[in-house]
């Protein structure tokens, strides 16, 4: 597992907590919006004003898998297995992401928010 810095406190962060922070950063950064790193981010912003139905859930899973598998996002230590998304309000969504760490251990991250 990678280690890094907590975005708010500057403290050292590692393990699942750091993975959670990295996933949140990727999900909430529109692809192409960082001037120095155009390949970083996701296309999740394309879903903001869509109806939440079966097609929405499928599109969200595809866009999330695309972001996780993008080498520029640095998430090669996580493999997506399942995702649940729920609408929390106008343009706000809650995500539960399940998958496996690079050592094969399962991990579930609840309460990730987008929007």
């Amino acid at each position: 597992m990678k280690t890094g810095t907590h975005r708010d406190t500057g403290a050292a962060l590692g393990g699942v907590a750091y993975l959670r922070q990295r996933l949140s950063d990727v999900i909430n950064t529109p692809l192409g919006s960082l001037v120095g790193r155009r390949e970083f981010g996701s296309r999740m912003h394309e879903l903001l004003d869509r109806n939440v139905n079966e097609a929405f859930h499928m599109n969200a899973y595809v866009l999330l898998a695309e972001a996780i598998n993008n080498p520029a996002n640095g998430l090669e230590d996580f493999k997506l297995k399942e995702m649940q998304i729920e609408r929390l309000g106008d343009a706000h969504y809650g995500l539960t992401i399940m998958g496996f760490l690079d050592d094969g251990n399962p991990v579930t991250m609840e309460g990730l928010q987008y929007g």
Side-chain angles (χ1 to χ4, degrees):
M1 290 287 306
K2 295 181 178 183
T3 59
T5 305
H6 190 281
R7 77 167 68 91
D8 298 325
T9 66
L13 193 61
V16 175
Y18 186 51
L19 175 61
R20 180 185 180 85
Q21 177 177 292
R22 290 183 295 138
L23 274 167
S24 179
D25 290 344
V26 167
I27 291 167
N28 286 291
T29 303
L31 189 64
S33 66
L34 296 181
V35 174
R37 294 185 63 195
R38 295 283 186 201
E39 297 82 26
F40 182 85
S42 73
R43 296 182 3 198
M44 293 290 286
H45 65 279
E46 295 175 7
L47 300 176
L48 282 180
D49 291 327
R50 303 261 176 99
N51 291 331
V52 179
N53 55 25
E54 289 179 14
F56 175 89
H57 289 278
M58 181 54 98
N59 287 333
Y61 187 87
V62 167
L63 294 178
L64 181 62
E66 178 183 272
I68 289 171
N69 290 320
N70 180 352
N73 291 332
L75 296 169
E76 60 278 345
D77 55 343
F78 178 74
K79 300 296 178 216
L80 180 65
K81 177 184 176 198
E82 191 175 331
M83 177 202 70
Q84 296 172 353
I85 188 166
E86 64 177 311
R87 188 172 185 170
L88 302 176
D90 291 340
H92 285 83
Y93 302 95
L95 297 168
T96 300
I97 299 174
M98 292 146 278
F100 297 97
L101 302 175
D102 55 357
D103 61 7
N105 288 324
V107 64
T108 299
M109 289 172 276
E110 298 176 332
L112 288 167
Q113 292 191 9
Y114 176 72

